[in-house]
């Protein structure tokens, strides 16, 4: 791997790490934000709706922007929005303005939705050029960022550091990371040829690709497993298994740590056993973890099974994106489509589970997630049997 590609890969590690640390920083201060805004639960729900709305807009626009302008400007604009929005949320906390906080969350969602798709497209390109398994480690950097940001947020809360000063510090740190990393991203990656952009020929070809749609189904299942845990796991442990609030948060931390370990160790297993075998094993681990969490009445056993859930969910998203990029021509459209399916699952799935949980309880609602993850066991061959390194070697020959 040459110096420019290595520097670009390191920059992408930082671009995955940055939204993770920013997201978990303000999420851990949500109770303090609510108190500063003097908002009810319903009012806080409206404030947080800005995040979902912005994310959906960013996700739906990202693929088109990448095809037209390339990944670099979309990554720059999306990540710049994340940095700026953190400052806006801090200002909203300082002035107790629900409107400012909502606007900040909207910008954060739009930046993250647009930027993450572009970063995944660029990451898939680096993986193709280098011939090394990279996507799991990149997504591991996001998980690492969430763990570090959450720990810092917990420490800031314990020290009673005002929210606006905490988020101001995060803004400075993320701005420095952004300024350093953006210079290593080359221009032109992911941009379609003028005639392709004008006629839109690639879009119907992508939708007609049966294998790519199966990969999208895998991403849907595994992203739902990850998103369900991110949104509902602490409450699932408290309401469904009798954990205290602190213990429920600790179980979620274990899930995030398992995700991080799985992603950083994933490259070894992918290079040794190939994508299909690893995807199938991941889905089996995830299904076993969910099965125990749903049906076991032993609290400690259920809490421990969350580690299997985290390990199982860790590799689904990055492995499927790697497979999508190699599944045929027009890598940008393919990765964008699969990434969009995954991020929509993150946004739409958890609220739907909340609706089901209101009627039948969260443990019963997780049966839907279990069914999707079990389906991924049978769909795993769609990601391909060979490792990325082998595929790259074949292409060079």
């Amino acid at each position: 791997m040459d110096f420019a590609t290595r520097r670009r890969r390191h920059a992408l590690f930082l671009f995955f790490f940055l939204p993770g640390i920013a997201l978990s920083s303000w999420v851990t201060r949500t109770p303090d934000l609510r108190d500063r805004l003097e908002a009810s639960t319903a009012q806080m729900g409206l404030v947080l709706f800005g995040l979902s709305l912005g994310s959906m807009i960013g996700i739906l626009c990202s693929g088109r922007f990448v095809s037209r302008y390339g990944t670099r400007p979309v990554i720059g604009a999306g990540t710049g929005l994340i940095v700026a929005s953190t400052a806006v949320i801090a200002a909203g906390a300082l002035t107790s303005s629900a409107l400012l906080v909502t606007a900040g969350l909207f910008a954060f969602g739009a930046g993250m939705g647009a930027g993450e798709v572009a970063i995944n497209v660029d990451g898939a390109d680096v993986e193709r050029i280098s011939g090394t398994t990279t996507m799991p480690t990149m997504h591991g950097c996001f998980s690492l960022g969430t763990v570090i940001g959450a720990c810092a947020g917990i420490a800031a809360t314990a020290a009673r550091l005002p929210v606006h000063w905490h988020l101001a510090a995060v803004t400075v740190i993320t701005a420095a990371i952004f300024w350093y990393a953006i210079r290593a991203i080359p221009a032109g990656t992911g941009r379609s040829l003028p005639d392709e952009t004008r006629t839109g020929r690639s879009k119907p070809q992508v939708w007609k690709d049966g294998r790519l749609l199966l990969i999208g189904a895998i991403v849907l299942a595994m992203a739902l497993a990850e998103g369900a845990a991110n949104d509902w796991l602490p409450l699932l442990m408290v309401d469904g298994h009798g954990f205290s609030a602190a213990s429920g948060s600790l179980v979620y931390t274990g899930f995030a740590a398992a995700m991080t370990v799985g992603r950083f160790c994933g490259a070894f297993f992918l290079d040794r056993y190939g994508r299909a075998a690893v995807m199938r094993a991941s889905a089996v681990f995830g299904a076993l973890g969910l099965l125990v969490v749903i049906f076991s009445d032993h609290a400690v056993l259920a809490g421990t099974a969350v580690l299997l859930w985290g390990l199982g969910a860790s590799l689904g998203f990055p492995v499927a994106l790697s497979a999508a990029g190699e599944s045929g021509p027009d890598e940008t459209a393919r990765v964008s489509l699969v990434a969009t399916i995954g991020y929509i699952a993150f946004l739409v799935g958890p609220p739907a589970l909340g609706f089901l949980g209101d009627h039948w309880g969260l443990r019963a609602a997780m049966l839907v997630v279990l069914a999707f993850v079990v389906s991924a066991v049978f769909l795993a061959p769609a990601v391909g049997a060979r490792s990325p390194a082998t595929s790259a070697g074949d292409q060079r020959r």
Side-chain angles (χ1 to χ4, degrees):
M1 187 186 306
D2 59 41
F3 174 76
T5 302
R6 186 162 53 248
R7 185 165 178 255
R8 179 184 176 190
R9 185 179 66 167
H10 291 161
L12 289 172
F13 289 158
L14 291 175
F15 276 121
F16 274 95
F17 178 81
L18 187 154
I21 196 171
L23 176 67
S24 59
S25 293
W26 67 258
V27 165
T28 55
R29 304 307 302 271
T30 300
D32 295 314
L33 274 172
R34 179 193 59 195
D35 294 343
R36 286 287 300 172
L37 300 177
E38 298 181 351
S40 66
T41 301
Q43 290 170 333
M44 200 62 192
L46 290 175
V47 170
L48 293 173
F49 179 71
L51 176 71
S52 297
L53 182 62
S55 298
M56 187 64 69
I57 292 173
I59 289 167
L60 294 178
C61 294
S62 182
R64 181 176 299 177
F65 287 158
V66 170
S67 295
R68 183 167 184 175
Y69 303 109
T71 57
R72 190 177 194 272
V74 180
I75 291 173
T79 308
L81 269 178
I82 292 174
V83 174
S85 65
T86 306
V88 174
I89 297 169
L94 176 62
T95 60
S96 300
S97 170
L99 183 61
L100 267 181
V101 173
T102 304
L105 291 175
F106 175 85
F108 189 100
M112 191 167 177
E116 286 294 288
V117 173
I119 295 167
N120 278 298
V121 171
D122 211 272
D125 187 60
V126 168
E127 193 171 68
R128 178 186 59 80
I129 292 171
S130 65
T132 59
T133 305
T134 304
M135 291 293 283
T137 305
M138 290 181 181
H139 283 262
C141 288
F142 176 83
S143 298
L144 179 63
T146 61
V147 171
I148 292 175
C151 290
I154 292 170
T157 301
R160 298 183 179 179
L161 180 68
V163 178
H164 56 275
W165 288 120
H166 174 204
L167 296 184
V170 173
T171 301
V172 172
I173 293 169
T174 53
I177 294 173
F178 171 64
W179 178 81
Y180 172 80
I182 192 63
R183 296 177 296 172
I185 306 299
T189 303
R191 189 165 55 201
S192 299
L193 296 174
D195 61 329
E196 291 177 337
T197 303
R198 193 165 48 244
T199 63
R201 287 194 308 241
S202 62
K203 189 171 183 180
Q205 291 175 356
V206 166
W207 278 100
K208 290 178 181 178
D209 190 322
R211 182 192 170 197
L212 188 64
L213 294 179
L214 291 177
I215 294 172
I218 293 173
V219 164
L220 178 67
M222 304 308 282
L224 181 61
E226 183 179 348
N230 287 336
D231 280 32
W232 293 113
L233 186 55
L235 193 58
L236 174 63
M237 290 293 110
V238 172
D239 291 352
H241 291 285
F243 280 75
S244 67
S247 297
S249 297
L250 184 63
V251 170
Y252 171 73
T253 303
F255 174 85
M259 288 276 295
T260 304
V261 171
R263 284 173 168 172
F264 277 112
C265 296
F268 170 80
F269 293 100
L270 286 164
D271 289 337
R272 189 178 181 94
Y273 300 108
R275 284 193 300 249
V278 171
M279 180 65 78
R280 184 178 291 110
S282 295
V284 168
F285 283 149
L288 287 174
L290 278 160
L291 194 68
V292 174
V293 169
I294 293 169
F295 291 105
S296 175
D297 291 323
H298 193 287
V300 175
L301 182 60
T304 304
V306 166
L307 299 178
L308 275 179
W309 183 353
L311 283 174
S314 63
L315 292 176
F317 202 79
V319 171
L321 288 178
S322 296
E326 296 179 6
S327 64
D330 200 344
E331 177 185 0
T332 299
R334 292 172 178 275
V335 174
S336 295
L337 173 63
V338 172
T340 298
I341 292 172
Y343 286 116
I344 288 176
F346 282 133
L347 292 173
V348 177
L353 293 173
F355 175 79
L356 294 175
D358 278 342
H359 289 77
W360 295 292
L362 280 176
R363 283 173 68 173
M366 291 300 151
L367 286 170
V368 175
V369 183
L370 176 61
F372 273 93
V373 174
V374 169
S375 72
V377 176
F378 301 99
L379 295 175
V383 299
R386 296 181 300 173
S387 71
T390 303
S391 297
D394 291 346
Q395 290 172 1
R396 284 192 293 270
R397 286 195 293 271

